[in-house]
Amino acid sequence: MDELVIHGGTPLMGEVTVSGSKNAVVAIIPAAVLVDGVCRIENVPNISDVAVITELLTRLGAVCTRLDDGSLEIDSRKVNKYNPPHELVKKMRASYYLIGALLGRFNNAQVCMPGGCNFGHRPIDLHIKGFEAVGATVDEVGEVITAYTDELKGGSIYLDFASVGATINIMLATVRANGVTTIENAAKEPHIVDVANFLNAMGANIKGAGTDTIKIIGVDRLGGGTYSIIPDQIEAGTFMIAAAATRGDVLVKNVIPRHMETLTAKLTEMGVTVEEFDDSIRVYAPTRPTRARVKTMPYPGFPTDLQALMVALMALAEGISSMTETVYDNRFQYVDELRRMGADINVDGRTAMIRGVPKLVGANVTSMDLRAGAAVLVAGLAAEGKTVINTMAHIDRGYDNIIEKMTALGASLERVSIAEKV
Ligand code: UD1
């Protein structure tokens, strides 16, 4: 296991390039199971979630080759199993996409309940409702979900909540189904559009991704092709917030500014200078940011995955800020860690009130999950003195080369293997 040791207090300065979207690639790799040919996926981030989902495909019979330029080539023609190994499935949330992908390919899937970040109850009832609406029978025995049918037939699904996972999983299950499937109240996150674009590039016929209504016109076959993953919205947001929290000046490159609009608006409201260019954003924060009120919402609202990071920034802002989490029922578990660094935060139900302090101080903290880990990382970069984050495992799941990228911006941080310390 590795720890992260940070010597904070240095403003981040310079340029950083954002990698491919984690949440897009962890859906697109399972989607490749549906492709009857070879697909080459470009701009694949080097993160541990990609390693796990790639291993899952390999264990099902796919041939996955990582190329020198960072692309991943997947040949799924020899996939011959629909029951991925439980121990690997449990390592990440996105392995639930194998249910939709395998059901779409074999009319059969047997997958255990996924793992991933724990921020409250995370059921998959909406995914199941979708599979049933297109003709599958879904049994849950213990922690294993079995979905099967003789034939998937197009149907209509209304999602009670605009679930990212359910929207993508239903697209995967129905892209090769017989007939037309309609998803109403679909989620609109950028990675949903990316998955639809990938499938369309392979020969699918999906319309409306990015709007409330997605129409999937089933096709007989998906062939191979090349597709490039969009930049990671949350990684971009992490660098933007880190620049503001350390009072730095950073040009974040390889971003889609439209995906960052709510964060840009909030940072601007806090007195941070944000300049948008075609595919980059500069964040410049020479003075202390001021308070803000934020509520997380499905896209195009403020992303829940930037909630903890934003709270870390609010902890340093002038005045009293508030953060309301509407997507998950328990996503403030990291607050104690920020308190250890001197933050003044009170949580009442789904709202945190944050009384900004002029400075945070380094401390020994725990990384509770992926984005909570990123939040303590950013707090540690802004804080005076030394911060030790107990594990890199969560951060490694979703951040490609984070230490190298932060170091290039002038930060002082290093990965220390616990074994080395003993
Ligand atoms: C995805 C993202 C995650 C992000 C989240 C919200 C991936 C791999 N993960 O997670 O980073 O935080 O979107 O933007 O892309 N829900 C149900 N029943 C369901 C499905 C969801 O009640 O069947 C609830 C969840 O408990 C949660 C909310 O809906 O409260 C949002 O979940 P969802 O949009 O599905 O998120 P994930 O796909 O799990």
Side-chain angles (χ1 to χ4, degrees):
M1 199 167 82
D2 295 342
E3 290 180 342
L4 182 65
V5 178
I6 306 167
H7 294 278
T10 310
L12 297 182
M13 298 279 177
E15 297 183 359
V16 64
T17 301
V18 171
S19 300
S21 162
K22 164 193 168 285
N23 283 348
V25 78
V26 296
I28 286 174
I29 293 173
V33 163
L34 292 155
V35 178
D36 183 19
V38 179
C39 50
R40 185 187 168 122
I41 308 166
E42 297 175 344
N43 202 27
V44 174
N46 194 9
I47 54 176
S48 66
D49 268 9
V50 164
V52 173
I53 196 78
T54 306
E55 174 64 17
L56 272 163
L57 250 67
T58 307
R59 299 278 278 271
L60 292 170
V63 179
C64 304
T65 315
R66 193 78 192 226
L67 307 176
D68 288 344
D69 64 357
S71 309
L72 179 66
E73 213 166 69
I74 303 179
D75 182 350
S76 291
R77 284 174 293 190
K78 294 214 171 93
V79 169
N80 56 5
K81 297 190 189 86
Y82 52 80
N83 54 348
H86 294 190
E87 75 283 1
L88 271 180
V89 168
K90 281 171 174 288
K91 284 193 173 175
M92 64 188 293
R93 178 88 185 148
S95 42
Y96 56 33
Y97 292 132
L98 288 170
I99 312 175
L102 291 166
L103 184 62
R105 163 99 181 240
F106 295 111
N107 285 345
N108 248 308
Q110 205 177 82
V111 182
C112 78
M113 277 298 279
C117 295
N118 176 19
F119 23 77
H121 187 44
R122 296 181 79 180
I124 60 164
D125 55 305
L126 297 171
H127 305 227
I128 292 173
K129 178 178 160 184
F131 300 145
E132 288 174 341
V134 294
T137 302
V138 183
D139 297 331
E140 285 180 77
V141 179
E143 52 181 11
V144 179
I145 294 168
T146 307
Y148 55 96
T149 181
D150 290 333
E151 186 186 29
L152 288 165
K153 291 193 186 119
S156 258
I157 300 129
Y158 175 84
L159 295 178
D160 303 312
F161 181 88
S163 156
V164 169
T167 303
I168 293 179
N169 233 341
I170 297 165
M171 287 200 298
L172 298 181
T174 58
V175 69
R176 286 169 49 176
N178 193 3
V180 179
T181 301
T182 309
I183 311 174
E184 301 278 3
N185 196 29
K188 298 183 280 223
E189 271 67 3
H191 44 289
I192 288 174
V193 180
D194 211 37
V195 176
N197 286 345
F198 165 78
L199 290 168
N200 283 342
M202 299 297 130
N205 190 355
I206 300 175
K207 297 184 196 304
T211 74
D212 294 318
T213 307
I214 300 180
K215 204 172 250 192
I216 304 127
I217 300 116
V219 296
D220 290 338
R221 180 176 177 269
L222 301 182
T226 298
Y227 188 78
S228 187
I229 304 281
I230 49 163
D232 194 299
Q233 176 203 23
I234 307 302
E235 189 197 356
T238 302
F239 286 114
M240 290 170 68
I241 292 171
T246 59
R247 315 248 177 104
D249 185 358
V250 174
L251 184 68
V252 187
K253 293 171 33 174
N254 190 34
V255 299
I256 298 174
R258 190 169 28 88
H259 295 168
M260 310 311 304
E261 268 167 10
T262 43
L263 176 61
T264 297
K266 284 294 160 188
L267 290 177
T268 307
E269 218 176 284
M270 295 171 87
V272 175
T273 301
V274 183
E275 288 178 48
E276 284 184 12
F277 304 98
D278 286 348
D279 59 0
S280 60
I281 293 183
R282 177 185 175 211
V283 176
Y284 173 50
T287 54
R288 186 177 175 196
T290 51
R291 64 185 281 280
R293 270 201 208 134
V294 175
K295 196 189 257 192
T296 66
M297 299 286 271
Y299 190 82
F302 191 91
T304 173
D305 285 353
L306 290 177
Q307 185 254 97
L309 283 143
M310 194 62 170
V311 168
L313 174 63
M314 289 167 160
L316 285 160
E318 207 168 330
I320 299 174
S321 298
S322 72
M323 173 63 79
T324 302
E325 170 61 53
T326 74
V327 178
Y328 291 107
D329 54 18
N330 187 13
R331 210 176 183 178
F332 284 121
Q333 291 154 311
Y334 65 87
V335 157
D336 280 342
E337 308 309 308
L338 294 180
R339 285 197 191 115
R340 255 185 255 286
M341 302 175 78
D344 183 351
I345 305 172
N346 274 306
V347 178
D348 184 8
R350 286 182 172 231
T351 298
M353 299 301 293
I354 305 109
R355 186 184 295 270
V357 292
K359 62 172 188 180
L360 294 174
V361 284
N364 287 354
V365 292
T366 298
S367 163
M368 313 286 297
D369 60 55
L370 169 57
R371 305 304 171 187
V376 284
L377 164 55
V378 165
L381 292 172
E384 270 180 16
K386 179 175 159 186
T387 293
V388 180
I389 302 181
N390 71 327
T391 171
M392 276 299 282
H394 295 297
I395 295 171
D396 285 339
R397 283 190 41 224
Y399 287 93
D400 182 352
N401 272 317
I402 186 79
I403 296 181
E404 293 74 5
K405 289 183 183 185
M406 289 294 185
T407 303
L409 293 172
S412 169
L413 71 176
E414 61 172 333
R415 181 190 292 266
V416 178
S417 151
I418 305 264
E420 271 172 36
K421 282 180 56 174
V422 180

